[in-house]
Amino acid sequence: EITEPSVDLAVTTALAAGALGARMTGGGFGGCVLALTRADQVDSTAAAVGTAFADAGLGTPVTFLGRPSAGARRLE
């Protein structure tokens, strides 16, 4: 209930394109969307979201790849 249409569109499109999960994160001016995909689906998922945004008359979304890694830990 705190998202905006462009965020909802990005989430539903990423899921429809095969993302394993997608959700809004952050906040403020719409936040951003984190989509978990298989490595071989990154480009096609991003392209699907870009096409959905263009079809809806929205600007081009900014996408970037993040790779999971070990969490932060305290060095002693």
Side-chain angles (χ1 to χ4, degrees):
E1 296 180 12
I2 61 168
T3 63
E4 63 174 13
S6 63
V7 170
D8 294 337
L9 179 61
V11 168
T12 57
T13 302
L15 291 170
L20 302 171
R23 65 171 293 161
M24 181 262 219
T25 184
F29 298 99
C32 63
V33 172
L34 176 68
L36 178 64
T37 67
R38 290 183 170 86
D40 63 347
Q41 292 180 310
V42 171
D43 293 336
S44 61
T45 302
V49 172
T51 298
F53 270 46
D55 291 348
L58 300 170
T60 303
V62 175
T63 61
F64 60 92
L65 176 63
R67 295 187 188 272
S69 64
R73 60 190 162 122
R74 184 177 180 173
L75 299 176
E76 295 189 41

